[in-house]
């Protein structure tokens, strides 16, 4: 059915959110938020390309149970070296790439006064440099093949705030919001949406240390309006939305999924 502006409405609203037949590359897919995103995409019909340093057996089983085709790519994303291989293996297996989730990330906690150059570089390389060059390779593949693309960058509350004893992480995640806007400006006209998700405080390996520190844990919970840590499941809705046709006119924006943390 045509609307007043000659666009057509979906007959079934659920189709807007379907990822049937799309191929999604998710980095850091073996655990935590990356695993949750893979499972959500698998349930919505996507082929999964799981990129990780370690075995993705658990993620593979969960995705295959949901009926998805699954390709595991072992890669260390602390350098740009594996990027071309990741894109070419994904295309060789599934024909094209449609979705990229830049989820892999590391955090190093230390007083700013004691941070070494090595620690600084290791965080910036994974969280920022490789995110840019993997996005660039993905965008080239979409443009060459003339297919639409969706890039989703995993940001953080520390894209907006300073945090405590994590200066390189804060710098890298703040950069992610700027990069999301910058890439939108260049690639939106080529059919590529570049958006971000800023998770709040989520119960994963990334936050084990602060959850085990009773006073930090209490202070964090006290400040979250919803009064609980987030889970990988909490991120799935936003991740599906930004990968699907439902978000075709959303571009350059980072959505917080934080139980209200930023509202305080
Ligand atoms: P996690 O530690 O469980 O997952 C991080 C993933 O990144 C793992 O799969 C890990 O293997 C992968 N990774 C790290 N370095 C890598 C490398 N060199 N090569 C390949 N893979 C590498 O933690 P998580 O919470 O699931 O983190 C996922 C993303 O979410 C990260 O970018 C993190 O910064 C971000 N984030 C997490 C929270 C939180 O509260 N947990 C909040 C905001 C943002």
């Amino acid at each position: 059915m045509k609307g007043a502006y000659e666009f057509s409405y979906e007959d079934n609203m659920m189709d807007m959110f379907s990822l049937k037949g799309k191929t999604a590359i998710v980095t850091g897919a073996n655990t935590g938020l990356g695993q949750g995103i893979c499972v959500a995409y698998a349930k919505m019909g996507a082929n999964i390309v799981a990129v990780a340093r370690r075995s993705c057996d658990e993620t593979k089983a969960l995705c295959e149970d949901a009926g998805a085709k699954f390709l595991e790519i072992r890669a260390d994303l602390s350098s740009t070296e594996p990027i071309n291989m990741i894109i070419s293996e994904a295309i060789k297996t599934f024909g094209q790439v449609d979705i990229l989730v830049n989820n892999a990330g590391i955090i190093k906690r230390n007083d700013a006064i004691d941070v070494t150059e090595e620690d600084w570089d290791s965080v910036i390389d994974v969280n920022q440099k490789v995110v840019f060059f993997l996005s660039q390779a993905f965008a080239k593949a979409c443009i060459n093949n003339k297919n639409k693309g969706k890039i989703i960058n995993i940001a953080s509350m520390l894209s907006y705030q300073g945090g405590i004893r994590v200066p390189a992480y804060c710098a890298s995640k703040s950069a992610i919001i700027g990069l999301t806007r910058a890439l939108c400006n260049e690639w939106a006209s080529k059919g590529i949406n570049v958006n971000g998700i800023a998770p709040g405080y989520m119960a994963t390996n990334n936050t084990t240390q602060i959850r085990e520190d009773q006073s930090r844990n209490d202070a964090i919970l006290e400040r979250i309006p919803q009064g609980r840590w987030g889970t990988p499941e909490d991120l799935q809705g936003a991740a599906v939305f930004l990968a699907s046709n439902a978000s075709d006119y959303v571009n350059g924006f980072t959505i917080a999924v934080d139980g209200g943390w930023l509202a305080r």
Side-chain angles (χ1 to χ4, degrees), residues 27-37 51-54 56 73-79 82 102-107 109 122 125-127 130-131 153-159 169 172-173 197-208 210-211 229-230 232 235 257:
T27 66
N30 55 309
T31 180
L33 305 181
Q35 181 179 77
I37 292 169
V51 182
R53 274 179 305 184
R54 304 202 175 85
C56 281
I73 298 180
R74 232 22 114 76
D76 180 352
L77 297 175
S78 59
S79 85
N102 285 306
N103 166 76
I106 53 169
I107 190 161
R109 297 175 197 281
S122 66
D125 284 349
V126 178
N127 293 10
V130 170
V131 168
N153 295 322
I154 302 301
S156 167
M157 293 296 96
L158 301 196
S159 304
Y169 184 82
S172 68
K173 293 297 184 178
I197 300 176
Y201 284 78
M202 318 298 278
T204 66
N205 297 335
N206 179 289
T207 52
T208 307
I210 48 173
R211 279 181 293 119
W229 286 81
L235 223 62
V257 178

Side-chain angles (χ1 to χ4, degrees), residues 25-26 28-29 48-54 56 70-76 82 85-91 93:
I25 302 174
V26 181
I48 307 299
V49 179
V51 182
R53 274 179 305 184
R54 304 202 175 85
C56 281
F70 191 92
L71 172 68
E72 174 174 336
I73 298 180
R74 232 22 114 76
D76 180 352
M85 177 274 288
I86 292 167
I87 300 292
S88 65
E89 284 298 306
I91 292 174
T93 306

